[in-house]
Amino acid sequence: MSYFAIAVAWLIAAEALMSFGFGFPAADLASPDTLVLVHIVCIGWLSMAMCGALFQFVPVLVGEPLFDERWEMPALALLTAGLATLLAGFLSLGGRLPVGLWLLPVGAALLAAGFALVVLDLGLTIWRARPPVGPAHFVFAGLIFLAATVTLGSVFAWSLSGHGGKALDAVLASAVPLHATAGLGGWLTLTAMGVSYRLLSMFMLAPEVDGRSSRLTLGLGAAAIGVAVAGGLLAVAAETGLPIVLGAAAALSLAALALYGRDVVRLYRNRRRRRLELNTRMAAYGIASLVAAALLGGALATTGSFAAHVGAFAFLVAFGWLSGLVLAKLYKIVAFLTWLETYGPAMGRVPTPRVQDLVAERRASKWFAVYFACVWGSTAALLVNQALVFRGINVVMLIATVGIVQELIRTRQLADVAAPLRLPDGTQAPRLLYSRN
């Protein structure tokens, strides 16, 4: 819960900054202000939320306890301190703070230490269990690309601080897209795909995806990111061939996404739970945003305008696909964990509510509908270069996000549980920001 709380706070901060015109599109994509915004979204919001979910979910995936639960809070502290320090370094780079560029490598080192604890804890949990190829292996591949993302980010931090030398400066000049690909594509998207396979199957009571299909999807997806990152670095070093490498990676990515889309459609079609809960309905909108992003990227690349509109593409991936899916699943995960924490010890001894009794889906669905409408509207505004319209839509998106977060808080407070069932004998009210179990 602490990871989730910090993550949604960063999300609200990012949306507020965009609403006030901080960073892209008011500033250049490579500006220090945009770097602040990008890292708030990718580290503070998406990575924090993903780490919190994986600490709970990986043991479920592999049927084994977490390798060492004591590493969770030190990792959270290091990630929070590292991100704050890195952001201060970017603000210093842009002249907004007088502190100094030495904050960049310090922040990168703290983040590397925090993510190292995450990778080791989750990676050793999966390695020790050695599960059959499936969702857990998507997570394992995502952790590998997380390590690559952090490594490249550390190189950039040293270079931006003025201590990189000619070799690191050359990497910085050309490899920023590879850093973004490893993070958004490898770490966040591959992990989200793997987790969604199991969560959708679990919450819709659908048969598991065929192992051969998921293996092929993982193989193509990992190959796409691997070709982009490793091949891209070689192309940067050779100073030639980068467009060819990225083109091959894009083709592999489209094949992987096509297989993933086919698997997701099968999950929805073959479900036993005919009436979809809100989290699975909203997850469909997130996955639809991924499909839309793939089509948009292909169209922009075909017309030669991808570089001009890369901001719109990245926004749709970050806020439509990844943020949309994470918010949808958080709505269910928070309710499920709150139910386990509060009513699990009393189950079978006294009447207890259902997990669904902890939420008010009709009220929450309105906030989700507004959120996704704003994401798609903002993407359209970026495509036609309407920065002021983008800011206006983001104000509404911020309000919708606050509404969704308020629903999560109400769930933790048991505010929507009928009074007779709220706290029966033998139960305790959950803490808002920290789980008891």
Side-chain angles (χ1 to χ4, degrees):
M1 290 301 165
S2 301
Y3 276 83
F4 296 157
I6 290 175
V8 296
W10 282 118
L11 172 61
I12 290 171
E15 291 178 354
L17 288 174
M18 288 189 294
S19 298
F20 283 110
F22 184 90
F24 182 82
D28 186 73
L29 267 174
S31 69
D33 287 355
T34 302
L35 291 176
V36 168
L37 190 59
V38 166
H39 288 82
I40 287 176
V41 173
C42 293
I43 298 177
W45 157 230
L46 292 171
S47 293
M48 287 283 196
M50 191 69 76
C51 289
L54 291 177
F55 279 132
Q56 288 285 340
F57 195 59
V58 165
V60 177
L61 283 178
V62 302
E64 293 283 344
L66 199 62
F67 182 79
D68 196 331
E69 292 185 358
R70 295 171 297 179
W71 294 356
E72 293 179 38
M73 290 308 295
L76 178 61
L78 286 167
L79 292 175
T80 303
L83 179 57
T85 306
L86 187 73
L87 297 180
F90 286 139
L91 292 172
S92 179
L93 181 66
R96 292 183 178 272
L97 285 180
V99 184
L101 297 181
W102 58 269
L103 290 169
L104 291 170
V106 171
L110 291 170
L111 285 170
F115 280 125
L117 288 178
V118 173
V119 170
L120 286 172
D121 207 2
L122 297 173
L124 289 173
T125 302
I126 297 170
W127 183 263
R128 184 173 58 181
R130 287 180 172 78
V133 175
H137 286 78
F138 280 83
V139 176
F140 196 81
L143 293 173
I144 293 172
F145 288 116
L146 171 59
T149 305
V150 173
T151 300
L152 284 173
S154 299
V155 169
F156 297 153
W158 278 99
S159 182
L160 288 172
S161 68
H163 299 91
K166 292 184 178 180
L168 294 189
D169 289 345
V171 173
L172 176 63
S174 303
V176 171
L178 309 183
H179 175 58
T181 299
L184 283 174
W187 155 231
L188 292 168
T189 290
L190 279 182
T191 302
M193 289 166 66
V195 169
S196 68
Y197 272 133
R198 180 58 59 85
L199 287 180
L200 289 172
S201 175
M202 182 188 304
F203 294 146
M204 294 193 300
L205 303 180
E208 293 282 348
V209 172
D210 178 71
R212 290 174 298 178
S213 179
S214 63
R215 283 197 296 271
L216 183 56
T217 302
L218 174 59
L220 288 170
I225 308 303
V227 167
V229 177
L233 288 174
L234 290 174
V236 168
E239 298 182 353
T240 184
L242 185 59
I244 297 174
V245 169
L246 295 180
L252 290 169
S253 297
L254 289 174
L257 291 177
L259 290 176
Y260 173 67
R262 182 193 65 180
D263 290 340
V264 168
V265 169
R266 286 178 177 174
L267 285 171
Y268 276 89
R269 283 180 176 172
N270 298 330
R271 69 187 189 274
R272 295 188 183 93
R273 176 169 282 165
R274 303 320 300 171
R275 184 178 182 277
L276 292 176
E277 296 177 344
L278 180 61
N279 77 92
T280 47
R281 297 202 306 272
M282 294 304 105
Y285 286 119
I287 294 166
S289 296
L290 174 62
V291 174
L295 294 174
L296 175 62
L300 293 175
T302 302
T303 58
S305 57
F306 186 84
H309 297 295
V310 66
F313 172 79
F315 182 88
L316 185 56
V317 170
F319 285 93
W321 153 236
L322 291 168
S323 297
L325 184 70
V326 170
L327 284 171
K329 291 309 172 186
L330 274 185
Y331 185 76
K332 182 68 174 185
I333 290 170
V334 169
F336 185 67
L337 294 181
T338 301
W339 186 93
L340 283 177
E341 179 183 355
T342 307
Y343 303 109
M347 191 172 63
R349 295 189 286 111
V350 295
T352 58
R354 303 169 303 156
V355 175
Q356 281 301 96
D357 294 332
L358 274 64
V359 297
E361 288 197 349
R362 180 174 296 182
R363 186 179 62 232
S365 64
K366 299 172 184 177
W367 295 121
F368 276 103
V370 173
Y371 173 84
F372 278 107
C374 288
V375 169
W376 300 329
S378 294
T379 303
L382 290 174
L383 287 172
V384 295
N385 299 314
Q386 293 295 321
L388 191 58
V389 174
F390 173 83
R391 287 175 58 184
I393 296 175
N394 268 267
V395 172
V396 182
M397 189 169 80
L398 172 61
I399 294 171
T401 302
V402 171
I404 294 170
V405 172
Q406 178 62 27
E407 294 298 320
L408 301 180
I409 293 172
R410 288 180 62 87
T411 298
R412 288 297 291 170
Q413 294 174 335
L414 309 177
D416 292 305
V417 181
L421 295 177
R422 186 170 298 152
L423 285 174
D425 292 340
T427 62
Q428 288 181 293
R431 300 185 181 98
L432 181 61
L433 303 180
Y434 191 86
S435 301
R436 285 193 170 85
N437 54 337

